[in-house]
Amino acid sequence: MKQKTAEGSDLDLEHWKDYLPELITESLWLLGARDRSGPHMGDYHGNFVPQIPYQVIRRFTKPGEVILDLFSGMGTTLIECRHTGRHGIGVELNPNVVQHSQLRIDEAINDACVTTRVLLGDSTRAETVSNIRTALSDLGATHAHHVILHPPYWDIIGFSQSPDDLSCAPTKPAFLEGFGQVVDTAMSLLAPERFLTLVIGDKYSKGEWVPLGFECMQTCLSKGLRLKAINVKDIQGNEKGKGRTNNLWKYRALRHGFYIFKHEYVMLFRKPSHPRQPAV
């Protein structure tokens, strides 16, 4: 009798309770402190917690498949690829970050002997797409089985001085346009009916909440992706630009009528088998 598995994964649904509570099924993600096991470190501003890629990799892929991270940073996703037996391809703009992240990734346990490599490039460029396709071909794949996007939250943290860096975008429309080009890249490289994860937060500017997460969500929908979930994740530490916990910020919140950031979004999308009219 054929084993009944969850879509896009190897989870045995005959024993689905065995995966709980390790795998999250609710939309509120209280992950707690950042996992610092193995080579995971919180020394790179803008790092996201390893528990996020772990959750989506386990839920939506199978061992031996390929994960693509188009904003790979210090390699959090690719470290989790090694831990879970998935191949990983990352793309990073900064050559110094590429070098240091690859060294860190190579330190991670790799019992399944998977390939994890970081490519230097701009995820909006055709030459980067070509290099990713070559890396996929080297792994015997034509498409990635899951894409993870953890872009800069516009200008909250400046990652470089490069005009190609989305954190240097001069305006919000310019940021969203650049992000949309990355989504185009993701759509071209993601296998049909497979999932994409967007990790994003909002920002506060000049007395106004800027719903950056939902605007990036709308960008994904406009490209034809189908929204599957909006998960809310708690922020614990590493809060530069996202909110503060000290009394000064609590006082400011009360005085000026705002709330301190303590959450981010983990949004799940699925690429349809056939193109459809994008959402408006």
Side-chain angles (χ1 to χ4, degrees), residues 107-166:
E107 295 175 1
I109 294 172
N110 188 16
D111 290 339
C113 298
V114 294
T115 298
T116 47
R117 55 182 298 201
V118 184
L119 305 177
L120 175 64
D122 180 342
S123 291
T124 69
R125 300 290 178 84
E127 58 265 34
T128 301
V129 174
S130 177
N131 290 338
I132 295 171
R133 291 195 184 281
T134 298
L136 287 167
S137 179
D138 291 343
L139 295 171
T142 58
H143 292 80
H145 301 100
H146 194 93
V147 174
I148 294 180
L149 303 180
H150 184 220
Y153 300 176
W154 185 16
D155 57 354
I156 290 178
I157 297 174
F159 289 94
S160 74
Q161 300 298 317
S162 170
D164 297 325
D165 190 331
L166 289 185

Side-chain angles (χ1 to χ4, degrees), residues 215-265:
E215 294 184 72
C216 288
M217 177 193 75
Q218 189 60 46
T219 297
C220 290
L221 293 175
S222 73
K223 302 296 183 178
L225 286 163
R226 298 176 180 173
L227 182 64
K228 298 289 289 185
I230 301 175
N231 302 311
V232 178
K233 182 198 80 68
D234 64 325
I235 293 177
Q236 296 286 338
N238 196 23
E239 296 168 353
K240 181 178 180 182
K242 303 172 190 174
R244 302 292 192 273
T245 59
N246 62 40
N247 287 332
L248 175 60
W249 278 87
K250 293 176 182 178
Y251 167 79
R252 289 173 174 170
L254 289 172
R255 180 179 179 182
H256 299 293
F258 67 88
Y259 289 85
I260 301 168
F261 284 106
K262 291 298 292 182
H263 73 276
E264 298 167 291
Y265 307 106

Side-chain angles (χ1 to χ4, degrees), residues 11-267:
L11 302 181
D12 181 1
L13 294 181
E14 295 294 330
H15 303 280
W16 63 272
K17 291 183 179 179
D18 294 345
Y19 301 106
L20 308 178
E22 178 187 12
L23 296 184
I24 301 170
T25 56
E26 295 85 15
S27 63
L28 180 60
W29 290 24
L30 303 177
L31 299 180
R34 189 179 197 278
D35 177 13
R36 294 177 181 268
S37 62
H40 285 307
M41 299 175 66
D43 57 342
Y44 182 69
H45 53 208
N47 265 10
F48 68 143
V49 299
Q51 295 96 312
I52 294 175
Y54 176 82
Q55 286 288 328
V56 297
I57 289 170
R58 290 281 285 112
R59 280 286 309 272
F60 301 109
T61 68
K62 303 172 184 177
E65 292 189 331
V66 185
I67 315 299
L68 173 62
D69 187 334
L70 293 175
F71 298 95
S72 66
M74 280 303 294
T76 301
T77 294
L78 271 61
I79 291 171
E80 288 305 301
C81 285
R82 288 168 72 98
H83 289 168
T84 58
R86 276 73 166 170
H87 300 290
I89 301 171
V91 180
E92 169 57 42
L93 268 174
N94 188 318
N96 290 327
V97 175
V98 170
Q99 180 181 5
H100 287 96
S101 65
Q102 188 66 67
L103 291 172
R104 184 169 296 182
I105 293 162
D106 291 343
E107 295 175 1
I109 294 172
N110 188 16
D111 290 339
C113 298
V114 294
T115 298
T116 47
R117 55 182 298 201
V118 184
L119 305 177
L120 175 64
D122 180 342
S123 291
T124 69
R125 300 290 178 84
E127 58 265 34
T128 301
V129 174
S130 177
N131 290 338
I132 295 171
R133 291 195 184 281
T134 298
L136 287 167
S137 179
D138 291 343
L139 295 171
T142 58
H143 292 80
H145 301 100
H146 194 93
V147 174
I148 294 180
L149 303 180
H150 184 220
Y153 300 176
W154 185 16
D155 57 354
I156 290 178
I157 297 174
F159 289 94
S160 74
Q161 300 298 317
S162 170
D164 297 325
D165 190 331
L166 289 185
S167 70
C168 297
T171 64
K172 185 176 67 174
F175 169 83
L176 292 172
E177 180 181 0
F179 175 71
Q181 293 171 355
V182 178
V183 178
D184 287 335
T185 295
M187 285 289 281
S188 71
L189 295 168
L190 179 62
E193 294 298 331
R194 302 309 292 264
F195 292 83
L196 176 148
T197 298
L198 169 63
V199 183
I200 187 70
D202 296 326
K203 62 169 289 184
Y204 205 81
S205 177
K206 299 179 180 179
E208 182 178 355
W209 187 290
V210 181
L212 199 63
F214 290 103
E215 294 184 72
C216 288
M217 177 193 75
Q218 189 60 46
T219 297
C220 290
L221 293 175
S222 73
K223 302 296 183 178
L225 286 163
R226 298 176 180 173
L227 182 64
K228 298 289 289 185
I230 301 175
N231 302 311
V232 178
K233 182 198 80 68
D234 64 325
I235 293 177
Q236 296 286 338
N238 196 23
E239 296 168 353
K240 181 178 180 182
K242 303 172 190 174
R244 302 292 192 273
T245 59
N246 62 40
N247 287 332
L248 175 60
W249 278 87
K250 293 176 182 178
Y251 167 79
R252 289 173 174 170
L254 289 172
R255 180 179 179 182
H256 299 293
F258 67 88
Y259 289 85
I260 301 168
F261 284 106
K262 291 298 292 182
H263 73 276
E264 298 167 291
Y265 307 106
V266 182
M267 299 181 178

